[in-house]
Amino acid sequence: MNLVRLFSTPVWQEEFPNFLEVKDEWLTHVRKYIEDNPESIVSSNVGGYHSPQYLHTVPELRGLFNYICLQAKDICNDLGFKDDVFVYIKESWANVSSKSSYHKEHVHGEVLSGVFYIKAPYESGRLNFINSGMNKLWDVNHLIKEKNYFTAEGMSVDPVEGFLFIWPSYLPHSVDQNNHDEERISISFNISITDEEL
């Protein structure tokens, strides 16, 4: 029989060019933002710190968010959107994951969501994407000798400093517990896309 692939869920990844040249400066500005906003929001995070959601308004981080928007514009082409769409950061926040903290499975709003790792020690928590089209209770799961494109319940990626991941906001995801003594610092964001200029 001919195999027909009906649906696919994309995830994009990219390494920020020359990240080491800006890492310390960006970390300084993120830490200052956290210091100025010490009260943590409770969202999907269990433990750790979740900042207010306007980190993209920090002028010194404009280079990062402009880069993210450029990547999102390319993603619009991959998704077959119209040529004249406008891309902008709707909200963004810093996550500081201390030892033993993690993020429960969740989805975001808007069109695209993503994360940029600014500090990511080894074993500080893998990012897990959940395949919502695969039922974990399917009666033949025990017969599958090796999970593949069709049968995987999800996929995981290690956090790497300087790496950017973007995915459709409807994609369920979670973050494993940080098993490192040092904290992991990431920047999460939601991207809106419209055909009306703001």
Side-chain angles (χ1 to χ4, degrees), residues 8-123:
S8 178
T9 304
V11 174
W12 295 265
Q13 72 172 35
E14 185 71 35
E15 183 176 12
F16 188 90
N18 305 313
F19 171 67
L20 291 180
E21 295 176 11
V22 294
K23 175 185 173 182
D24 290 340
E25 178 188 349
W26 286 356
L27 262 176
T28 297
H29 294 300
V30 170
R31 290 188 191 281
K32 175 70 166 59
Y33 183 80
I34 292 168
E35 182 181 313
D36 292 343
N37 299 276
E39 189 170 336
S40 178
I41 293 172
V42 177
S43 184
S44 64
N45 53 311
V46 178
Y49 169 86
H50 180 303
S51 81
Q53 296 178 313
Y54 49 91
L55 183 63
H56 56 289
T57 64
V58 175
E60 294 83 359
L61 298 175
R62 188 172 293 128
L64 171 61
F65 289 108
N66 286 344
Y67 177 80
I68 290 170
C69 285
L70 284 173
Q71 301 306 312
K73 188 70 173 169
D74 286 344
I75 286 170
C76 289
N77 293 330
D78 290 344
L79 293 173
F81 288 1
K82 297 190 297 186
D83 293 336
D84 56 351
V85 296
F86 298 93
V87 172
Y88 64 97
I89 304 289
K90 177 75 172 186
E91 53 210 0
S92 62
W93 59 97
N95 287 308
V96 181
S97 298
S98 52
K99 187 168 187 179
S100 299
S101 63
Y102 62 96
H103 288 257
K104 298 179 287 188
E105 182 178 332
H106 62 288
V107 296
H108 292 209
E110 300 310 319
V111 180
L112 299 172
S113 298
V115 63
F116 179 77
Y117 292 104
I118 196 162
K119 182 182 177 191
Y122 178 67
E123 290 192 343

